[in-house]
Amino acid sequence: MNNKETTDELLKRIREMDKLYDPNRLPSISMSELYDTVYTNKPAIIESFLYPGLCILAGDSKIGKSFLVSQIAFHIATGKDFWNRPVKQGTVLYLALEDQYSRIQRRMFKMYGEENTDNLHFCISAKSVNNGLENQLTDFINEHNNTKLIVIDTLQKVRGGVSDSYSYSKDYEFISQLKSFADRNGICLILVHHTKKDKDCNDPFNNVNGTNGLMGSADSTMILSKETRTSLNATLNITGRDQADTRIKIRKNPETLIWELNEFETEIYEEPPDPLLQKITDIAIQNGGQWSGTATELTTLLDSNIAPNKLTLKLNINASKLRYDYGIDYQNIHTHDGRCIELKLIKDDSVTVGDDCDDKTDCCNLS
């Protein structure tokens, strides 16, 4: 490379850096860059039911919302299946801000008797969103790094202020603060809320109390409803970004007050196993739990007709599936010799992608 080429390359990099730090620049990436990037997302906490992010659970007063979230919290804390759905076990914090500890004690004993767990924590007082709640929740998560769920019962208790009149923008901004917190920490945050007195019979999601800004910013919304207040039967309607709209028929056990499953009215789609991903998993296992090489080398081992670039794209898109369904940490690494695929068998979901390779340029020999 001559001096002119070196200078031109340097100037090009300077212009790129200037663009990067320009405060007026609109950050964007091309579709090619998008496909070239490995993104990993947390899996469902309760399969096909509850996902990381912000969830609003709304229903009429005294309809059984607190019993339902107590039930969800207990199953996540213990790792027991919930309504026949697999559960990712973890720590749970339940802010029962309209209760007293004595009432919570009676409720949990009524539901589960002597069975208990150290993974479920209760709190009956907390600061508001604009007055320190995030710091309180952050401290809890730092002390309990396996936190999967935080329940805030109810939303109004942490909103602050006394006005019941809110605009769309204020509702959206309020929920967005809590959603950002949930996203940053990779947890599910359930906000228990109320429904309107004047019901929309055609769309239950129009019944969330407040403006559409609440539901618009949330990742998912659940509406718990009964035809009559005295009925033991109820319907739970769910809509969300990461799941198909779902309608579930449930019934409250009059003895334990636990919500029991009657039926999933909406058929739940379950993605079938992927033979190619299973073969990739087998390759990592057969090589002592770790394999690295080029996409071309991997296609040869797979004995597949898939083109190397298409294989890389498939792996980039399925990085989370590889991690959480097959137990394989996948990385697509830039090196001085080109691109390197690294597969590593992991023991659990606490490993963070990228933590196990200190030198990204020398982890693969592509010569």
Side-chain angles (χ1 to χ4, degrees):
M1 181 180 290
N2 58 41
N3 291 336
K4 183 178 186 305
E5 290 174 334
T6 303
T7 302
D8 290 344
E9 182 66 25
L10 180 60
L11 290 173
K12 180 181 177 182
R13 291 186 180 182
I14 291 174
R15 286 193 295 269
E16 289 175 349
M17 293 295 291
D18 287 341
K19 288 181 180 179
L20 185 62
Y21 291 102
D22 182 357
N24 297 317
R25 175 180 176 268
L26 181 66
S28 67
I29 61 174
S30 69
M31 187 173 179
S32 298
E33 291 172 314
L34 182 70
Y35 278 11
D36 199 33
T37 305
V38 177
Y39 299 100
T40 54
N41 303 299
K42 292 281 187 177
I45 300 171
I46 302 177
E47 187 175 298
S48 303
F49 179 81
L50 190 68
Y51 295 79
L54 188 135
C55 172
I56 295 175
L57 169 62
D60 287 345
S61 178
K62 305 300 187 293
I63 197 175
K65 301 185 299 296
S66 294
F67 281 93
L68 179 56
V69 289
S70 295
Q71 191 173 338
I72 292 171
F74 180 82
H75 279 258
I76 293 173
T78 59
K80 294 185 175 183
D81 287 2
F82 179 80
W83 293 345
N84 303 324
R85 313 309 300 174
V87 171
K88 292 282 187 183
Q89 184 177 13
T91 302
V92 179
L93 173 63
Y94 184 176
L95 303 185
L97 304 179
E98 294 185 340
D99 278 320
Q100 297 296 322
Y101 285 125
S102 58
R103 183 188 295 170
I104 300 170
Q105 181 190 64
R106 292 193 301 271
R107 179 191 303 155
M108 298 307 294
F109 186 77
K110 180 80 171 176
M111 298 173 74
Y112 298 106
E114 296 178 358
E115 189 176 4
N116 64 76
T117 172
D118 288 334
N119 289 332
L120 177 52
H121 299 254
F122 297 95
C123 182
I124 60 173
S125 64
K127 295 181 178 180
S128 67
V129 169
N130 293 323
N131 192 35
L133 176 64
E134 184 173 320
N135 291 335
Q136 291 181 316
L137 299 183
T138 299
D139 288 343
F140 179 88
I141 291 174
N142 289 338
E143 293 174 10
H144 305 86
N145 57 16
N146 193 35
T147 300
K148 290 280 195 297
L149 171 67
I150 294 177
V151 176
I152 298 179
D153 187 0
T154 62
L155 177 155
Q156 193 61 33
K157 282 288 187 177
V158 298
R159 182 153 196 172
V162 296
S163 174
D164 289 329
S165 177
Y166 295 99
S167 66
Y168 179 97
S169 60
K170 289 182 179 179
D171 281 346
Y172 194 94
E173 180 183 1
F174 171 73
I175 295 297
S176 293
Q177 291 180 63
L178 293 171
K179 172 178 162 48
S180 296
F181 174 82
D183 290 344
R184 284 196 308 273
N185 291 282
I187 65 165
C188 176
L189 179 60
I190 295 180
L191 299 179
V192 180
H193 193 41
H194 295 101
T195 47
K196 300 173 181 176
K197 293 181 179 179
D198 297 326
K199 297 292 189 294
D200 182 339
C201 298
N202 296 318
D203 186 350
F205 298 105
N206 286 335
N207 296 325
V208 176
N209 196 28
T211 71
N212 290 335
L214 294 177
M215 185 174 159
S217 183
D219 293 292
S220 62
T221 303
M222 302 182 182
I223 305 294
L224 182 65
S225 59
K226 296 196 294 187
E227 289 188 4
T228 63
R229 181 168 290 277
T230 57
S231 175
L232 295 175
N233 297 313
T235 301
L236 187 66
N237 285 283
I238 307 173
T239 190
R241 295 190 176 103
D242 295 318
Q243 59 199 120
D245 289 355
T246 306
R247 184 178 175 89
I248 307 172
K249 292 291 187 179
I250 55 179
R251 184 178 188 276
K252 182 180 283 187
N253 185 311
E255 181 179 350
T256 64
L257 303 182
I258 288 176
W259 287 105
E260 298 174 344
L261 175 66
N262 276 346
E263 64 172 328
F264 280 86
E265 280 196 359
T266 307
E267 183 178 349
I268 294 178
Y269 172 75
E270 296 186 9
E271 191 171 351
D274 189 317
L276 186 63
L277 297 184
Q278 185 58 60
K279 285 183 180 180
I280 288 170
T281 302
D282 293 339
I283 288 173
I285 294 173
Q286 291 164 8
N287 285 272
Q290 184 169 351
W291 181 91
S292 60
T294 65
T296 300
E297 291 169 338
L298 185 55
T299 55
T300 301
L301 289 175
L302 290 169
D303 192 22
S304 170
N305 293 325
I306 187 170
N309 62 327
K310 290 185 178 180
L311 175 63
T312 300
L313 176 58
K314 183 179 180 69
L315 293 177
N316 287 351
I317 293 173
N318 286 279
S320 294
K321 189 174 182 64
L322 268 172
R323 165 172 283 273
Y324 295 111
D325 291 355
Y326 295 87
I328 295 294
D329 174 24
Y330 159 75
Q331 295 185 58
N332 184 0
I333 303 164
H334 285 280
T335 75
H336 57 273
D337 291 316
R339 279 189 170 275
C340 168
I341 288 176
E342 184 175 273
L343 306 171
K344 184 174 292 187
L345 187 66
I346 52 180
K347 302 296 183 181
D348 54 61
D349 64 0
S350 64
V351 180
T352 301
V353 174
D355 282 352
D356 302 314
C357 187
D358 295 327
D359 189 349
K360 303 303 182 190
T361 62
D362 294 326
C363 66
C364 302
N365 183 2
L366 303 181
S367 59

